[in-house]
Amino acid sequence: MHWNRRNALHRLLLGAMSVAPGMSMGAPPAAAADPALPRALPVPGGIARIPLGAHAQRPLAHAGEVPLLVIGSPADWTALVGIPLAAKAGRAALRVKTDGPEREVPYTIAAKAYAQQKLQVAPRTVDLSAQDLARHERERVHQQQVMAVFSSPMPNAEALGMQAPVAGPRSSSFGLRRVFNGQPRQPHSGMDIAAPTGTPITAPLPGRVLDTGDYFFNGGTVWLDHGGGLLTLYCHLSAIDVKSGDTLRTGDRLGAVGATGRVTGPHLHWGVLLNRTMVDPALFLPA
Ligand code: ZN
């Protein structure tokens, strides 16, 4: 099982630079027609939208060494920059290559203060045994490989509005500084949607299944690749109905809500990754 998963991922990584044969992205959903999505919110955990102007070819843009998603059309291109929760407020810059020499494009990250949240969970998921720590370390390395995938942007990547993957009350807990059983841990890097175990989870946008597995913290997990470094993550699943390489249209079922991994109860943890950075999924949903 483990070997198969690694092997499948390896094939995906090798093939990640082009859209796979037979990969149909389908028609965009109604929400995707809104060119304002994702919304700009240039704060830690948010997204900067950087206008790049008109060019015949899609410009290449990077933050450090990490490639950025550039959306739009030859009439008007826009770079999307996912800003890490750990970023400092102030001046930042990306590198852009269009027709001429590479240039630096500055932008400003505004400050945002996130509140603290205290949670009680199973003690073995906070004070890890040596065995669980070793398992988590292997899984962390694997997850970093998944998060580094950058495939071709979707042909219709002009607007990237998403459909919520589960109907249910959405928490606004993205970015909260978390204290588990009295111990500070990483901030919350996704959106929690409360729903009973077994509730179907559907793809928010066309994409390809990049990875599935059962991980220590995330429990039953699915990663989708939407092209251009835009990935989505589904955690704590009770059932996984897809396998690596499957292509999904908006609304296709990928699994079911559960309470696996480190949780306080059944819910979907939904993550959205841009340029290897977890950003607030709410920015992709219609207001
Ligand atoms: Zn969560």
Side-chain angles (χ1 to χ4, degrees), residues 204-241:
L205 202 62
R208 182 162 63 146
V209 179
L210 193 55
D211 187 58
T212 68
D214 176 20
Y215 300 117
F216 185 77
F217 288 119
N218 292 344
T221 297
V222 172
W223 281 94
L224 299 184
D225 176 13
H226 306 287
L230 175 63
L231 311 184
T232 53
L233 167 70
Y234 307 83
C235 301
H236 313 310
L237 277 49
S238 60
I240 294 174
D241 303 326

Side-chain angles (χ1 to χ4, degrees), residues 22-278:
M23 183 179 187
S24 166
M25 285 303 193
D34 183 351
L37 294 174
R39 278 181 291 281
L41 182 65
V43 301
I47 296 171
R49 293 179 64 108
I50 312 293
L52 301 180
H55 301 279
Q57 302 293 323
R58 186 189 303 268
L60 295 174
H62 288 80
E65 296 307 311
V66 181
L68 298 172
L69 175 55
V70 175
I71 61 172
S73 67
D76 187 21
W77 298 104
T78 301
L80 300 180
V81 189
I83 303 170
L85 274 165
K88 296 269 182 287
R91 207 183 116 103
L94 55 151
R95 294 183 290 114
V96 177
K97 175 89 177 76
T98 51
D99 321 314
E102 187 175 80
R103 62 196 165 100
E104 268 212 348
V105 179
Y107 64 99
T108 302
I109 301 173
K112 176 163 182 176
Y114 289 101
Q116 189 185 78
Q117 182 182 37
K118 295 181 176 177
L119 297 165
Q120 289 295 322
V121 292
R124 67 173 281 270
T125 65
V126 179
D127 294 305
L128 273 59
S129 68
Q131 193 182 2
D132 288 340
L133 199 58
R135 174 185 168 186
H136 169 59
E137 181 56 26
R138 287 194 303 274
E139 293 177 355
R140 196 181 61 79
V141 170
H142 172 73
Q143 175 160 289
Q144 280 177 338
Q145 290 177 301
V146 172
M147 290 168 65
V149 167
F150 188 92
S151 59
S152 299
M154 283 198 268
N156 56 1
E158 295 187 32
L160 293 169
M162 294 190 187
Q163 178 179 295
V166 166
R170 298 171 201 158
S171 79
S172 53
S173 61
F174 179 88
L176 295 185
R177 293 173 292 116
R178 288 197 142 174
V179 180
F180 286 100
N181 301 359
Q183 299 188 42
R185 290 292 186 266
Q186 293 292 316
H188 189 230
S189 60
M191 173 189 283
D192 290 340
I193 305 177
T197 292
T199 304
I201 301 167
T202 57
L205 202 62
R208 182 162 63 146
V209 179
L210 193 55
D211 187 58
T212 68
D214 176 20
Y215 300 117
F216 185 77
F217 288 119
N218 292 344
T221 297
V222 172
W223 281 94
L224 299 184
D225 176 13
H226 306 287
L230 175 63
L231 311 184
T232 53
L233 167 70
Y234 307 83
C235 301
H236 313 310
L237 277 49
S238 60
I240 294 174
D241 303 326
V242 292
K243 60 184 190 313
S244 293
D246 287 354
T247 60
L248 303 180
R249 295 161 300 177
T250 301
D252 282 351
R253 178 179 164 132
L254 61 90
V257 172
T260 54
R262 183 167 68 184
V263 294
T264 56
H267 70 281
L268 171 67
H269 173 97
W270 180 35
V272 175
L273 192 84
L274 260 182
N275 48 275
R276 305 180 199 173
T277 300
M278 289 292 183

